[in-house]
């Protein structure tokens, strides 16, 4: 495993932003959601039902906000804090580092997208395998938080990580091991959670694989456009020179419609170049 | 303000999600029903026993028991109901399931479950749900007889003067006392015999659940009395058109109820 100095160029700099950033906001919302769920659902288990993800309501009745609000309503059971605390800690550390590189808006978009994809996988599973009477809700912050950690691990696979605060491993190895443990726990205690964790994780892998390609594709596209425009401009200039020569010999009346059009394009080109030089 | 690049990426991110949501919205339920039915058919393979198609878990020896119970009972029920035009159902699917959830996988409503069994005469289906308990042959045979009575008599009861108490009473009666078994249909003396009026006026759902047990037992006793003491009148009433009134067949209701009570209180 590589030491810190080799894997992080900015080791002397702060890697986690201290401001009220996206990760901190997400953590606050999740903790507030945990406390609110604990208090509000004690007397009435349906108190936060409008925010939780109930697949047949969210999709059948198009309550689409539930795709984004469900990770903030937590599961109040004895085992959940054992998953919530590492997930929150992971968000704070790895998520913070990811945010320092990717930016707050992008982190928020990732988190909400992973929550939505996790919910959709959960819904697909519920629709296909579970009867309406047995429908279950989702797993709070775990699917999007795990997916975000997985994305961070895919971005910084060699970064050192203390698994269970003890064992030094590569971040990717550690996060994958935690994922296997999480899926195993879910399979035993909360089988409905497996689909949402897998759905969110697949979305994270897809983002990691596709985002770079999309950026490169857009870059290539814009380069190609610029090159085409440059070649068109050169050709226009060459033709304008020929036309100007013809005007000096035979006058304006000798120009055909096509030549007049090229002349107008040449004027437009000159104006554009003047504007660019002013800017 | 969102730049063109960010907007493009958001669109790429949201498109599969929107497609998934719309697909589930449009096809989720029918696809789910098909998948669950296919999974249920795999979990409960079918075995043919004469006119019965019995679906049970692989390795279960219960299909033979169910087939034997139903074949014998159907023969005696058809013999008893021949004057009414009762015929053996051409094909009956018998589901021997582990859980009420499996009823939904076969397209049945678990709300119709009664004493661990349910019958759907329209679909020609009988379901017996064990709910994780050990199979108890006596209990299961009773549930099968109850469901088979409902299934076999449904066409006759629909076209006669039958009311809910007849279907419930006959099913409960033959559940305990199969035709030709020689049972009396009486119960031990000392138990209170309920009033007849609520039995005759009860709707089908009134016989369901724990609250419906006394009513169901009263219907059973009432039908037992009619079958054993007034068979000619009972058959005549069952064959009669819907418009024919109860009193025209059986006589004055108060006197009839008194006779019933006296009969029901006799020792076995």
């Amino acid at each position: 495993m590589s030491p810190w100095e080799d894997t992080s160029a900015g080791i002397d700099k702060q890697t986690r932003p201290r401001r009220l950033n996206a990760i901190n906001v997400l953590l606050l919302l999740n903790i507030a959601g945990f406390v609110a769920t604990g208090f509000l659902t004690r007397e009435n288990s349906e108190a936060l039902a409008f925010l939780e993800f109930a697949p047949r309501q969210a999709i059948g009745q198009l309550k689409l906000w539930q795709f984004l609000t469900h990770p903030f309503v937590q599961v109040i059971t004895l085992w959940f804090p054992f998953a919530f605390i590492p997930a929150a800690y992971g968000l704070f550390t790895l998520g913070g580092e990811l945010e320092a590189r990717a930016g707050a808006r992008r982190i928020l978009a990732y988190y909400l997208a992973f929550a939505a994809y996790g919910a959709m996988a959960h819904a697909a599973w519920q629709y296909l395998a579970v009867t309406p009477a047995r429908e279950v809700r989702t797993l709070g912050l775990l699917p999007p938080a795990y997916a975000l950690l997985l994305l961070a691990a895919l971005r910084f696979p060699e970064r050192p990580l203390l698994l269970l605060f003890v064992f030094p491993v590569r971040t990717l190895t550690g996060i994958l091991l935690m994922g296997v443990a999480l899926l195993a726990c879910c399979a035993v205690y909360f089988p409905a959670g497996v689909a949402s964790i897998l759905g969110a994780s697949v979305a994270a892998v897809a983002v990691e694989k596709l985002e770079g390609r999309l950026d490169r594709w857009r870059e290539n596209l814009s380069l190609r456009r610029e090159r085409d425009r440059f070649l068109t401009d050169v050709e226009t200039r060459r033709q304008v020179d020929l036309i100007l020569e013809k005007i000096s010999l035979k006058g304006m009346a000798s120009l055909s419609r096509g030549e007049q059009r090229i002349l107008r394009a040449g004027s437009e080109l000159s104006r554009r170049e003047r504007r660019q030089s002013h800017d | 303000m969102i730049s063109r690049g960010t907007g493009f990426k958001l669109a790429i991110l949201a498109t599969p999600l929107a497609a998934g949501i719309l697909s589930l919205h449009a096809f989720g339920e029918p696809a789910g029903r098909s998948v669950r039915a296919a999974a249920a058919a795999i979990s409960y393979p079918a075995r043919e026993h004469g006119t019965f198609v019995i679906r049970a878990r692989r390795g279960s020896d219960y299909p033979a028991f169910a087939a034997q119970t139903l074949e014998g009972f159907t023969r005696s029920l058809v013999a008893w109901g021949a004057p009414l035009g009762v015929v053996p159902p051409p094909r009956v699917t018998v589901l021997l399931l582990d859980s009420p959830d499996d009823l939904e996988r076969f397209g049945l409503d678990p709300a119709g479950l009664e004493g661990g069994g349910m019958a759907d005469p329209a679909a020609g289906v009988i379901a017996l749900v064990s709910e994780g308990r050990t199979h108890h042959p006596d209990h299961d045979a009773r549930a099968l007889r109850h469901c088979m009575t409902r299934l076999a008599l449904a066409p006759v009861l629909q076209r006669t003067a039958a009311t809910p108490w007849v279907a419930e009473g006959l099913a409960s009666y033959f559940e305990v006392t199969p035709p030709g078994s020689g049972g009396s249909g009486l119960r031990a003396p000392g138990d209170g015999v309920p009033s007849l009026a609520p039995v005759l006026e009860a709707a089908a759902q009134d016989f369901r659940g724990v609250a419906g047990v006394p009513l169901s037992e009263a219907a059973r006793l009432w039908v037992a009395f009619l079958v054993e003491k007034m068979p000619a009148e009972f058959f005549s009433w069952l064959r009669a058109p819907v418009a024919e009134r109860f009193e025209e067949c059986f006589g004055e209701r108060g006197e009839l109820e008194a006779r019933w009570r006296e009969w029901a209180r006799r020792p076995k």
Side-chain angles (χ1 to χ4, degrees), chain A residues 56 59-60 62 64 67 105-106 113 116-117 120 123-124 127-131 133-134 207 211 214-215 217-218, chain B residues 1-2 4-6 8-10 12-17 20-21 24-25 28-29 31-33 35-36 101 104-105:
Chain A
R56 285 177 171 87
I59 291 174
L62 292 178
L64 297 180
F67 277 87
R105 280 201 303 191
R106 199 173 281 199
Y117 275 99
M120 199 178 68
Y127 265 99
L128 294 181
V130 180
T131 53
R134 290 270 165 179
V207 162
E211 196 176 17
L214 274 178
D215 284 340
W217 178 73
R218 289 194 63 244
Chain B
M1 194 62 192
I2 295 174
R4 270 179 69 185
T6 310
F8 176 73
K9 280 188 192 170
L10 281 176
I12 295 275
L13 200 60
T15 305
L17 189 69
I21 292 170
L24 282 175
H25 184 74
E29 284 300 350
R33 268 196 298 275
V35 169
R36 290 197 296 274
D101 290 345
E104 287 192 328
R105 294 165 72 190

Side-chain angles (χ1 to χ4, degrees), chain A residues 164-235:
Chain A
L164 303 175
F165 306 105
V166 177
F167 306 106
V169 289
R170 293 166 70 223
T171 294
L172 187 57
T173 313
I175 293 296
L176 288 178
L177 283 174
M178 281 197 271
V180 171
L182 183 60
L183 285 175
C185 286
C186 280
V188 175
Y189 297 108
F190 198 90
V194 173
S196 53
I197 290 172
L198 285 177
S201 303
V202 168
V205 173
V207 162
E208 173 57 16
K209 296 285 174 202
L210 290 179
E211 196 176 17
R213 287 184 191 186
L214 274 178
D215 284 340
R216 282 195 297 280
W217 178 73
R218 289 194 63 244
E219 214 169 284
N220 286 341
L221 191 71
S222 100
L223 271 176
R224 225 175 11 247
R225 277 191 191 145
E226 291 228 351
R227 189 192 59 198
D228 291 349
R229 202 167 65 183
F230 175 76
L231 291 174
T232 314
D233 291 351
V234 168
E235 179 60 19

Side-chain angles (χ1 to χ4, degrees), chain B residues 159-176:
Chain B
R159 67 169 190 266
T160 65
T163 45
W165 64 265
V166 186
E168 178 59 30
L170 280 169
S172 300
Y173 173 60
F174 287 136
E175 166 192 328
V176 185

Side-chain angles (χ1 to χ4, degrees), chain A residues 16-30:
Chain A
R16 215 169 33 240
R18 285 191 187 129
R19 291 173 289 112
L20 188 69
N21 51 29
I23 284 293
N24 290 348
V25 168
L26 286 174
L27 279 172
L28 283 175
L29 282 174
N30 277 309

Side-chain angles (χ1 to χ4, degrees), chain B residues 105-209:
Chain B
R105 294 165 72 190
F106 282 102
L108 299 170
D109 181 6
L113 204 60
E114 196 182 344
M118 74 178 290
D120 183 351
V125 173
I126 286 176
L128 186 66
V129 180
S130 63
E131 284 192 86
R133 65 180 164 75
T134 312
H135 284 291
H136 191 293
D138 186 45
H139 173 275
D140 292 342
R142 283 179 58 165
L144 285 171
R145 287 198 292 264
H146 188 105
C147 294
M148 191 64 210
T149 308
R150 284 190 175 276
L151 195 80
L153 297 187
V156 174
L157 298 182
Q158 272 169 10
R159 67 169 190 266
T160 65
T163 45
W165 64 265
V166 186
E168 178 59 30
L170 280 169
S172 300
Y173 173 60
F174 287 136
E175 166 192 328
V176 185
T177 319
S181 67
S184 72
L186 285 175
R187 65 177 180 180
D191 293 353
V193 178
S195 170
L196 189 56
V199 177
L200 299 181
E201 284 149 22
Q205 64 269 20
D206 296 338
F207 293 105
R208 296 249 171 89

Side-chain angles (χ1 to χ4, degrees), chain B residues 18-81:
Chain B
I21 292 170
L22 286 176
S23 306
L24 282 175
H25 184 74
F27 311 113
E29 284 300 350
R33 268 196 298 275
S34 307
V35 169
R36 290 197 296 274
I42 293 167
S43 308
Y44 293 96
R47 270 161 280 193
E48 300 239 352
H49 288 263
T51 55
F52 297 101
V53 179
I54 302 187
R55 287 188 174 276
R57 287 271 185 210
R58 216 175 293 278
S60 165
D61 56 356
Y62 237 53
F65 164 78
Q68 197 183 357
T69 306
L70 287 172
E71 275 167 2
F73 178 72
T74 308
R75 263 198 306 276
S76 55
L77 186 67
V78 168
W80 173 85

